Amino acid sequence: MNSIVPADRDSSRVVPDHLQEIAEKVLWLSTSIIHHANRVRPNPSGLKVGGHQASCASLVTIMTSLWFEQLESADRVSVKPHASPVLHAINYLLGELDEHYLTTLRSFGGLQSYPSRSKDPDPVDYSTGSVGIGATAPIWGAVSRRYVEASFGATDSSSARERAGGFSGRQYSLVGDAELDEGAVWEAVIDPGITELGEIVWIVDLNRQSLDRVVPNIAARRLEKMFDAAGWQVITVRFGRLLEDLFARPGGDALRRRILDMPNPEYQRLLRCTAAQVRDRLPGEGPEAAAIAELIVDLDDTVLTESIRNLGGHDLSALRQAYAQIEDTRPTVIIAYTVKGFGLPTQGHPQNHSSLLTVEEYNALAQSLGTDPNNPWTRFSAESGPGRECIETADRLRRARVPDSNPPPVPADIGRTPKGTATTQAALGRVLLDLTREAPDAAARVVTVSPDVSSTTNLGGWVNKVGVWSATERRDWFEDDAETIMHWREDPTGQHMELGIAETNLVGLMGELGATWSRWGQPLFPIGVMYDPFVERALEPWSYGIYAGGQSILVGTPSGVTLAAEGGAHQSIKTPSIGLEQPECITYEPAFAIDVEWTLLASIGRLGRPDGTSAYLRLSTRPVDQSLADVPTDRAARERRRRQVVAGGYPLVRRESAVVTIAAMGALVTEALAAAERLEHIGVAADVLCITSPGQLYRALRARQGHASDDTWILDQLLPADRATPMVTVLDGHPHTLAFLSTVNRVASTSLGVSNFGQVGSLDEVYKYHRIDADSIVGAALDVTGK
């Protein structure tokens, strides 16, 4: 084959075509990484190690072509989860991975099961593993990069594509065809703002197989129409050179139609056939069967069997032509026909997803590739053609060190004390506006994201102030309408993003916005707002974003059965315990507006740094008399209260002769205070604690028990041993969230909360139904004290 200059690269650079040798080496290495983990490395437990040799083989040619001919240092790639050994094999050939890691797949401290930015020892652009999340991550990565560059300057050194396309690097997703079953994929594909992002390139590995079977109805032409309808450029790479040569002969058109029209399972069965069986089955029974039979009758057996599996995703020339067609003016999807397990003895087998080569098959593969199975990790000689190509590719893809992240300081206290009646939801918007005045550098890093609920979650003032982000400027046709209160000014300088009703997209974007500190040294402070009942819908992808290093703040509002009139479908129950269970996340449920300010500012201050954490704030639409917060007027006492709020809770009422403690959270603090007053009138003195973060308190308790290294001082101030009394806990959520508090001092307790689906009704009716009203708190306090 002749040397080829990729169309989008410097024409002065001629690339020697050693890619086939490199592809075979990548196939061998990726197969060997999995083979060693399962067949060679000692396994005392006997438990399955696993790996996906067939899924790797499906992508070997595509990834070799991409890395060694197409990628620039500014590009980023999300690799489908099961092909992680291919990524490690390529990184090894490029000198980015030490040899000893090749024997550590799925072992403690070794190569991860799926690509991980935070845990793998070699370069990984996007963490993948949960179906659909890795596919869409580069879309949100493209938005994040554009945002950073519009606000703070270039993220990478110039490249040819940057000068020509107006963006810094393409964002590639390598996607399995079965992964397109995930609904979140299509939520992202059809988002109207995505059509302006020409740097997005998806490559669909169309091998027609899922975990258990050949998928009967994955039709490339249907996928083509779906992507085209969403405004994407569609490029299909169906066949390789051998098949195209056959199509050019008499009877070739009939053969092409036959292959395109046959069901997936029928085609897959041909891949497992002998040459004689192919001659018998391939013509079919249609009117063009004779023409096809005549075309293949004199073909050499080897040519015939190689031709039938000669699909475009395994042909370097076909892939080069596909990449050269990318327009860079809108998202592109390349649908590449492949064979699962291509080049392996298991190729095309309907159950090859997790199958492993036997030792005999592995040795036979080594012989066919001219490799020593007893010394599997040899690289190319630096003087050889493939070795020089590896060195040149490594030089081309080498990236500058990411500068240290230096987030601007965030004030701990704005200094105001809210008056009158307010909701914690409304306090969110006010704090953000205050931040623009008190700390403009920090406010400039805030990016808010919402799914079409900006106005109903009190972000209207903030949106009017900072504008809405868009890849291009759009005219606001209502800017001169005096009756329009909320203005929608869209341009690349806006700090609010709205994605429609798609919570999965929202948290995916939050994850990438929250990772800019580690990608380009430019920290952002992403704050996503959604209705609290939908937090659980978004929790898994948000958690995955945190795992990948994306630090963000998720705000759920309005929350709980306090949203009485909306009924059970919109009343969240389980969300308060998120902070107890989600790693690298702190949850707050403030009761008062000042608590919102302090916890939000503290949460923003933890973003955009190597030791940073994400946060979840659960807010309410219930109006609360702010004087109940009893904020200290003394400067030192106020600061002490603020530290307690951020650390997890504070004493709201202390009575000298208290015989019971009521620990309440969020909107239920009002009921707790009312219950304490009533108990006082009947001679039962009660302390009232305002819990702001059960997660923080639980971590402190674990540290006191020797299981963690967190500070424990908050327990001494909130629950001192000399004030230990029986306890009632109450919150607008599942009662187990606060049940652990009684173990701090090992006291008798009862836990009130919501454990059933809600009802429509007034606030009083709904609280009484769930037994979280003042009457129920009084009754529980009398029961636990034996009064």
Side-chain angles (χ1 to χ4, degrees), residues 335-414:
I335 299 175
Y337 283 46
T338 61
V339 174
K340 194 162 187 174
F342 184 78
L344 302 180
T346 57
Q347 61 185 344
H349 192 284
Q351 280 85 47
N352 67 6
H353 181 79
S354 298
S355 67
L356 299 169
L357 300 189
T358 65
V359 173
E360 293 75 17
E361 289 172 331
Y362 179 74
N363 291 336
L365 177 66
Q367 183 175 3
S368 69
L369 296 175
T371 304
D372 182 1
N374 298 312
N375 185 23
W377 315 124
T378 56
R379 288 189 176 100
F380 294 111
S381 164
E383 291 75 31
S384 67
R388 290 194 300 272
E389 181 66 17
C390 289
I391 293 171
E392 292 176 12
T393 299
D395 289 341
R396 186 180 76 249
L397 298 183
R398 189 165 291 114
R399 298 169 183 166
R401 186 185 72 84
V402 176
D404 294 335
S405 175
N406 188 25
V410 179
D413 188 349
I414 299 297

Side-chain angles (χ1 to χ4, degrees), residues 246 403 512 544 610 619 687 711:
L246 285 179
E512 291 308 315
Y544 211 88
L619 305 184
D687 284 347
D711 290 331

